[in-house]
Amino acid sequence: MARNIYITSIEGHAGKSTVALGLLYTLSREAKRVGVFRPVARTSNERDYVLEMLLAHDAVDLSYDKAVGVGYDDVHADPEAALSRIIERFKAVEAQCDVVVIVGSDYTDVGSPTELSFNARVAANLGAPVLLVLGGQSGAGVNRTPEDLVQVYTIAHQELDAAHAHLVGVIVNRSDPDHLPQIIEAVSATAGADTPVWAIPEDPFLIAPSLASLLDAVDGELLKGDSELLLREALGVVVAGMTMENVLTRLIEGSVVVVAGDRSDVLLATLMAHASETFPSLAGIILNGGFELVPQIERLIDGLDLSLPVIRTSFGTYDTARIITQTRGRLAADSPRKFDTALALFEQHVDSEVLLQRLDLNPPLVVTPLMFEYGLLDRARQQPQHIVLPEGGDDRILRASSTLLRRGVARLTILGDEGEVRGRAAELGLDISGATILSPFNEELRERFATEYVRLRAHKGMTMEHARDTVTDVSYFGTMMVHLGLADGMVSGAAHTTAHTIRPSFEIIKTKPEVSIVSSVFLMCLEDRVLVYGDCAVNPDPDAAQLADIAISSAATAAQFGIEQRIAMLSYSTGSSGSGADVDKVRAATALVVERRPDLAVDGPIQYDAAVDAAVGKSKMPDSEVAGRATVFIFPDLNTGNNTYKAVQRSAGAIAIGPVLQGLRKPINDLSRGALVQDIVNTVAITAIQAQGVAADSAAAASLAASTTTAAAAGEQS
């Protein structure tokens, strides 16, 4: 039986979409099949953008038509028939899902308790507890006081009670940031101890319209600039109805500037101000009046080579400004920063564990890729580490940094020229203000790093002059930061080769004392479980001792990420059935693992089918605790490992996270040059978790040393 939750409010613009998104992500960590259902959707030709946004989530596998109950017209025409239809269509969705997020109607006509009453009836008939969302602001955009919110809650609770709907919790969204504790205290006092109450502060960014939505609203055309920057949100409006010098003093960070199309002087001054580091970074310019640009002015603009979007509209100044100010931002699938902001607000202000307990979800029996990814982010957030990202000139790194910072996954240092990095982030509408931007040509650090590099490579004849040049390479600079404790880990490779990324770590970081070889694994996220594949990226043809080392390191990595450790030492032969140099190598490696780590479950040589398929494993190795149940797969060479992981990735639709380097004293990880933003986010989270392990080991070693010293001192005194 699915467990479901119904999100509703007593009015429009309360921010249900933010709550729905946060809840959807929370439930995706706990359930394999998450559904979304909209009992009452918009009846116009426009598709329901909230529903489309939620359906775009990777955990949801439903079509738009299946996720809709009825339209507003159906409810107005015959509420009882509409309710019957909603129940019928919901049951079809429920049958396919472990849990369903039901998003109540949007008050697109007359917002009143009558609409809440219908939502409450729907919730009661669907057997779904209600998560009530109260708007922290009135329709006029004024912050509500705690007393105001108590009144709103009381009205809403009466409607829910009348329909026999069960209230599971209250979220006061878009609340006055300065009075969150008072709001929670006041509403909690009225709701009672059995009803948890949370408050999410207002964030103006979430209601800011994007340049793309303003382009549509003013029926404009993109005249100049980068079309990708149309996704940036406009955080304010400046109407340039004055002289050039007065316009410049009124520019606002992230704003859209409305300029009359025949005021070339103001247009050029605004563009030059945007290009200057001494003025605010703008979101865009809208030229009103429909005027054509004078050819000479157009040549000047082209010569500036700016990416700032310049939009032309035929509307006059008044109408253009009116339309812009009336255009509301939407939390849509094409706004990653809004996604990150909404999720961060939900994660920071709503106790998801309490909410999940209230829903009484059964523990998941499987681990999906999404569950695993969210688990990575959660673990990284528990003890944020300092990660250095050397490739500050790559937009993917900047987008990932914005996500990581907003969601509190790690503390970041990005390498690059500070003006260029922050300027590009501003152009993209990204907030990386929480990151440190550091130039690899920083003189103080360059000298310090060069001195240390000479010490480390003195046996290779390293000179100070050569070292000064070497350490300005971003991979060497970032690695030296990790080595000297200025960062806890490094992630690179989006714009560099694997060799360029990891070679400095071999020279500087080096291996752990008990490890003889640096190796790698891929975390293979299948539909219902996560497996470990090693080594698929670093060592071409390891010998038996190295293969044993890789197996032990891979088991440790598996344990670090909550994966059971049952190691299959793969070969083309199972057990004692085959012979030859390649099989003998695997057999010898297996014996070494057993000798060094008798606590580990390991078997080999074993073929892949016997390792992964229970029936085949029982047939070929009936007494093995690994056969048919393996979780850690050790390939005999790089050729086999690399091809196998890619074959499984493509044919089984697995998500391959990695390569994750193992065996180094401190974590350095490589990215694919085709890495997506989410790949970078995941790799940083993995690196942060590895760094947590390093910190824990160091603390344990320090504690042991301290206790040994104390015991020795006590012995001397006695």
Side-chain angles (χ1 to χ4, degrees):
M1 174 71 75
R3 295 291 301 183
N4 313 306
I5 186 165
Y6 197 108
I7 303 171
T8 191
S9 180
I10 197 171
E11 60 194 338
H13 304 306
K16 292 196 303 297
S17 57
T18 297
V19 174
L21 183 64
L23 186 59
L24 180 61
Y25 270 73
T26 298
L27 293 173
S28 298
R29 302 199 314 261
E30 304 295 325
K32 179 182 178 182
R33 301 175 304 166
V34 182
V36 177
F37 187 72
R38 189 78 141 151
V40 185
R42 302 170 187 274
T43 53
S44 65
N45 294 329
E46 180 186 4
R47 286 165 71 90
D48 191 306
Y49 72 89
V50 173
L51 181 57
E52 287 196 320
M53 175 193 70
L54 298 175
L55 289 172
H57 190 280
D58 291 339
V60 182
D61 185 19
L62 289 170
S63 68
Y64 182 93
D65 292 337
K66 286 184 178 180
V68 173
V70 299
Y72 269 87
D73 291 341
D74 300 314
V75 177
H76 291 316
D78 189 340
E80 297 305 318
L83 182 56
S84 297
R85 179 66 172 156
I86 288 170
I87 295 171
E88 176 187 349
R89 292 186 64 81
F90 172 76
K91 290 299 180 183
V93 171
E94 184 183 41
Q96 301 178 45
C97 304
D98 300 315
V99 61
V100 182
V101 177
I102 309 163
V103 185
S105 57
D106 263 346
Y107 296 80
T108 54
D109 47 7
V110 180
S112 70
T114 303
E115 187 160 355
L116 175 61
S117 177
F118 185 77
N119 277 281
R121 286 190 64 202
V122 173
N125 280 275
L126 299 184
V130 170
L131 181 61
L132 178 64
V133 181
L134 303 181
Q137 295 194 349
S138 68
V142 177
N143 287 329
R144 282 177 168 148
T145 66
E147 294 73 24
D148 295 335
L149 288 163
V150 167
Q151 292 180 10
V152 175
Y153 168 78
T154 301
I155 295 171
H157 190 256
Q158 290 171 353
E159 294 294 330
L160 296 175
D161 265 356
H164 306 289
H166 171 61
L167 185 62
V168 73
V170 179
I171 295 179
V172 185
N173 196 22
R174 302 187 61 197
S175 300
D176 181 353
D178 296 329
H179 294 90
L180 295 186
Q182 296 90 328
I183 289 170
I184 294 172
E185 181 181 0
V187 178
S188 296
T190 305
D194 293 335
T195 303
V197 177
W198 299 282
I200 299 176
E202 166 76 325
D203 190 322
F205 178 75
L206 287 178
I207 60 172
S210 68
L211 263 293
S213 63
L214 294 181
L215 175 69
D216 290 339
V218 299
D219 194 22
E221 63 172 319
L222 180 62
L223 204 60
K224 301 287 182 182
D226 187 347
S227 60
E228 286 193 12
L229 301 188
L230 291 174
L231 295 178
R232 184 177 181 181
E233 284 73 18
L235 302 180
V237 182
V238 176
V239 179
M242 56 200 76
T243 59
M244 177 182 66
E245 57 270 22
N246 288 320
V247 170
L248 294 178
T249 62
R250 287 168 168 78
L251 296 180
I252 302 171
E253 184 74 25
S255 63
V256 61
V257 183
V258 179
V259 180
D262 59 350
R263 288 297 305 272
S264 301
D265 58 332
V266 177
L267 171 61
L268 289 173
T270 304
L271 287 169
M272 294 176 68
H274 171 75
S276 169
E277 295 183 7
T278 58
F279 282 86
S281 172
L282 304 176
I285 296 174
I286 297 182
L287 297 176
N288 63 269
F291 300 103
E292 295 288 336
L293 286 177
V294 176
Q296 296 90 328
I297 298 300
E298 189 162 9
R299 285 176 57 197
L300 278 173
I301 295 174
D302 291 340
L304 292 174
D305 193 26
L306 297 177
S307 54
L308 182 72
V310 178
I311 296 168
R312 180 167 57 197
T313 178
S314 60
F315 288 108
T317 301
Y318 172 78
D319 287 331
T320 301
R322 177 181 56 80
I323 292 170
I324 290 173
T325 55
Q326 291 178 352
T327 303
R328 290 183 58 85
R330 291 179 172 181
L331 182 57
D334 61 356
S335 178
R337 185 179 168 190
K338 280 189 177 178
F339 256 54
D340 296 336
T341 300
L343 288 174
L345 287 170
F346 188 90
E347 291 166 347
Q348 293 165 10
H349 297 280
V350 177
D351 190 333
S352 58
E353 295 304 318
V354 171
L355 189 53
L356 291 172
Q357 290 172 10
R358 299 276 293 178
L359 291 176
D360 192 27
L361 287 175
N362 294 322
L365 299 177
V366 299
V367 178
T368 69
L370 285 174
M371 291 178 185
F372 186 71
E373 287 182 2
Y374 298 152
L376 291 178
L377 299 187
D378 282 344
R379 286 188 58 189
R381 264 195 298 265
Q382 290 172 13
Q383 187 184 342
Q385 300 292 299
H386 184 181
I387 308 300
V388 58
L389 303 174
E391 299 163 318
D394 193 300
D395 286 355
R396 292 168 296 169
I397 294 295
L398 299 182
R399 293 185 189 280
S401 298
S402 177
T403 295
L404 291 160
L405 292 167
R406 193 68 184 89
R407 300 188 66 186
V409 176
R411 292 176 285 119
L412 301 179
T413 289
I414 303 172
L415 299 188
D417 178 87
E418 183 163 14
E420 292 178 3
V421 172
R422 294 203 187 278
R424 181 55 181 169
E427 281 187 336
L428 295 170
L430 303 173
D431 181 8
I432 60 167
S433 57
T436 298
I437 313 299
L438 186 59
S439 169
F441 293 94
N442 178 285
E443 281 303 321
E444 180 181 349
L445 291 178
R446 184 183 184 183
E447 285 299 306
R448 179 181 175 186
F449 292 174
T451 301
E452 176 65 7
Y453 190 59
V454 167
R455 184 186 73 80
L456 292 171
R457 305 293 290 174
H459 64 290
K460 294 290 186 179
M462 180 59 59
T463 66
M464 193 67 180
E465 182 180 1
H466 189 198
R468 286 192 185 99
D469 289 338
T470 300
V471 298
T472 59
D473 177 281
V474 290
S475 292
Y476 276 92
F477 195 93
T479 302
M480 195 61 75
M481 286 183 66
V482 176
H483 170 65
L484 293 176
L486 302 179
D488 301 311
M490 183 181 89
V491 173
S492 189
H496 294 90
T497 65
T498 295
H500 186 275
T501 297
I502 66 177
R503 184 187 296 114
S505 65
F506 294 163
E507 298 179 4
I508 298 168
I509 302 294
K510 300 181 180 178
T511 60
K512 297 176 181 178
E514 72 277 11
V515 175
S516 65
I517 188 171
V518 175
S519 58
S520 73
V521 296
F522 278 89
L523 304 176
M524 300 297 292
C525 301
L526 304 179
E527 184 180 1
D528 59 351
R529 55 191 162 149
V530 180
L531 304 176
V532 176
Y533 282 12
D535 176 4
C536 304
V538 178
N539 298 288
D541 189 19
D543 60 28
Q546 291 172 330
L547 205 58
D549 223 5
I550 292 170
I552 293 170
S553 293
S554 300
T557 299
Q560 194 167 31
F561 294 101
I563 301 168
E564 290 187 72
Q565 306 156 72
R566 292 190 292 271
I567 309 168
M569 307 292 288
L570 296 174
S571 178
Y572 60 77
S573 173
T574 295
S576 58
S577 64
S579 61
D582 292 337
V583 179
D584 292 342
K585 179 180 77 169
V586 174
R587 187 174 289 117
T590 304
L592 287 172
V593 174
V594 172
E595 178 184 337
R596 290 173 55 188
R597 289 292 304 275
D599 57 308
L600 291 176
V602 58
D603 226 329
I606 185 171
Q607 292 161 291
Y608 190 92
D609 60 345
V612 74
D613 186 286
V616 177
K618 184 176 182 181
S619 171
K620 292 188 174 184
M621 301 185 78
D623 298 326
S624 172
E625 61 178 317
V626 173
R629 303 173 60 237
T631 56
V632 180
F633 297 77
I634 306 303
F635 295 93
D637 54 59
L638 184 60
N639 183 49
T640 307
N642 191 270
N643 279 295
T644 302
Y645 106 76
K646 288 181 178 177
V648 172
Q649 181 184 30
R650 300 299 179 185
S651 60
I655 295 176
I657 300 177
V660 179
L661 296 184
Q662 54 190 16
L664 290 167
R665 290 187 296 113
K666 294 184 178 182
I668 305 289
N669 279 309
D670 179 42
L671 296 165
S672 163
R673 275 171 285 175
L676 303 176
V677 171
Q678 190 58 45
D679 297 330
I680 300 170
V681 170
N682 289 339
T683 304
V684 170
I686 285 172
T687 308
I689 293 169
Q690 289 179 312
Q692 291 172 357
V694 171
D697 291 343
S698 298
S703 177
L704 178 62
S707 62
T708 302
T709 302
T710 302
E716 291 176 4
Q717 291 176 0
S718 63

